């Protein structure tokens, strides 16, 4: 004779679960439920333990005294999450400078200029029509009198033909130390940040960078010098463009022709 299995306990348990209603069930597909939940048939008592332990939800099955409680432990996410860190931004003294004089005094104390020798400062009129940015004052015999050199006189004649007189031209240097330096991405980032602050005081109408190496140091390596030389660019909100190395241009007539016939008209900044 086959054994008779009593399913009454299972039936009572499932009936109790059905009585809880959809709002009290934890399903694998919660988004499959109706947007309008059905009210629970009977209130469900809940007890919350201390914050350091999991919350416990108690489901009472009143249909069968032997099935007393079903406990579901809920572990709070906050117990295992690390505390948020605060990141402090380092602000250099020159960033708070209020004048060019204060700026140069502040950058002289920066680590990258600690062994750089005398620093070359800006030379030129207030708010010049044109600012020449040269790579390094260490490469120039007299940084403070560049426009009086043979290379400077060549540049002055070039821009005079473009209706920009020498007295409207200013000169400054990307690296201002009198000692040579080895460039690196970190150093270039610091120098770009300093140039941005310096330009806020000089406020030229147009800035011209000189040389391929300087082009990449100022504008980054994402742009091609051959494609962008003479093209209209911007740096720190200033209209800018890139020319060939002025010292090489002085030695090579062909480079002068490229500058005059290609780079000068390409920018659209100058009128002949």
């Amino acid at each position: 004779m086959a054994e008779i299995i009593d399913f009454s306990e299972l039936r009572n348990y499932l009936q109790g679960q059905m009585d809880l209603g959809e709002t009290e069930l934890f399903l694998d597909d919660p988004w499959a439920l109706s947007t309008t939940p059905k009210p629970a048939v009977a209130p469900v008592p809940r007890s919350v333990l201390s914050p350091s332990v999991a919350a416990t939800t108690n489901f009472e099955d009143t249909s069968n005294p032997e099935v007393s409680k079903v406990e579901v432990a809920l572990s709070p996410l906050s117990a295992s999450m690390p505390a948020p860190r605060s990141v402090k931004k380092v602000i250099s003294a020159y960033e708070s400078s209020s004048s060019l004089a204060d700026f140069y005094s502040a950058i002289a104390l920066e680590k990258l200029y600690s062994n750089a020798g005398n620093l070359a400062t800006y030379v030129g009129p207030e708010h010049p029509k044109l600012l020449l940015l040269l790579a390094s004052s260490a490469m120039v015999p007299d940084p403070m009198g560049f426009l009086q050199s043979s290379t400077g006189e060549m540049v002055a004649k070039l821009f005079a033909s473009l209706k920009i007189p020498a007295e409207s031209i200013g000169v400054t240097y990307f690296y201002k130390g009198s000692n040579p330096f080895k460039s690196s991405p970190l150093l270039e980032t610091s120098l770009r940040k300093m140039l941005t602050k310096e330009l806020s005081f000089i406020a030229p109408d147009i800035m011209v960078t000189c040389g391929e190496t300087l082009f990449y140091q100022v504008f980054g390596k994402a742009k091609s010098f051959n494609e962008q030389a003479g093209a209209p660019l911007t740096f720190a909100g200033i209209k800018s463009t890139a020319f060939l190395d002025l010292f090489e241009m002085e030695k090579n007539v062909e480079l002068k022709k490229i500058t005059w016939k290609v780079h000068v008209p390409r920018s659209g900044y100058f009128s002949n």
Side-chain angles (χ1 to χ4, degrees):
M1 183 177 178
E3 182 181 356
I4 299 176
I5 301 175
D6 184 5
F7 291 97
S8 60
E9 294 294 327
L10 177 60
R11 183 172 57 254
N12 291 335
Y13 172 76
L14 295 176
Q15 182 63 46
Q17 290 289 76
M18 292 175 62
D19 290 342
L20 291 175
E22 293 175 347
T23 57
E24 300 298 332
L25 295 181
F26 295 93
L27 303 180
D28 291 334
D29 271 338
W31 47 84
L33 292 177
S34 170
T35 56
T36 307
K38 297 179 181 179
V41 174
V44 180
R46 296 175 179 268
S47 62
V48 180
L49 301 180
S50 63
S52 62
V53 298
T56 302
T57 303
N58 300 324
F59 295 153
E60 273 194 36
D61 185 355
T62 57
S63 63
N64 192 328
E66 294 181 4
V67 184
S68 58
K69 294 181 180 179
V70 177
E71 296 184 349
V72 180
L74 305 175
S75 299
L77 295 176
S78 58
S80 60
M81 293 179 64
R85 294 184 183 181
S86 58
V87 179
K88 294 183 179 180
K89 181 181 178 182
V90 178
I91 299 177
S92 299
Y94 71 83
E95 294 182 72
S96 302
S97 55
S98 56
S99 66
L100 261 181
D102 290 343
F103 169 77
Y104 293 130
S105 297
I107 66 170
L109 302 177
E110 291 290 313
K111 185 177 180 180
L112 68 88
Y113 282 130
S114 58
N115 298 313
N118 296 327
L119 302 189
T121 58
Y122 167 72
V123 176
E126 184 177 358
H127 308 316
K129 187 174 183 62
L130 177 74
L131 175 67
L132 294 176
L133 179 66
L134 304 183
S136 170
S137 64
M139 307 299 293
V140 183
D142 181 13
M144 306 306 288
F146 171 76
L147 288 179
Q148 284 71 50
S149 67
S150 60
T151 306
E153 289 178 355
M154 175 198 71
V155 174
K157 290 178 182 178
L158 167 68
F159 286 106
S161 64
L162 297 171
K163 301 178 182 179
I164 301 176
E167 56 268 24
S168 298
I169 300 175
V171 181
T172 194
Y173 301 87
F174 189 59
Y175 176 77
K176 306 181 188 306
S178 57
N179 298 331
F181 76 105
K182 292 183 179 180
S183 186
S184 69
L186 184 61
L187 178 59
E188 290 170 7
T189 299
S190 297
L191 292 174
R192 281 195 295 270
K193 193 174 178 182
M194 291 180 183
L195 177 60
T196 298
K197 185 65 177 180
E198 184 181 22
L199 289 175
S200 70
F201 297 118
I202 299 175
D205 290 345
I206 304 168
M207 180 177 73
V208 173
T209 66
C210 305
E212 182 174 355
T213 299
L214 181 59
F215 169 83
Y216 290 119
Q217 290 174 335
V218 173
F219 298 106
K221 295 179 174 58
K223 301 177 184 292
S224 168
F225 176 76
N226 291 331
E227 295 177 0
Q228 296 294 323
L233 302 168
T234 59
F235 181 86
I238 303 296
K239 290 192 299 184
S240 307
T241 192
F243 280 4
L244 296 167
D245 184 278
L246 300 181
F247 302 99
E248 294 298 322
M249 193 187 303
E250 184 185 15
K251 302 174 187 175
N252 191 325
V253 176
E254 291 302 316
L255 297 183
K256 290 181 181 178
K257 290 181 179 178
I258 292 173
T259 300
W260 179 253
K261 295 185 177 182
V262 179
H263 296 165
V264 168
R266 180 184 286 176
S267 68
Y269 293 155
F270 311 102
S271 59
N272 194 347

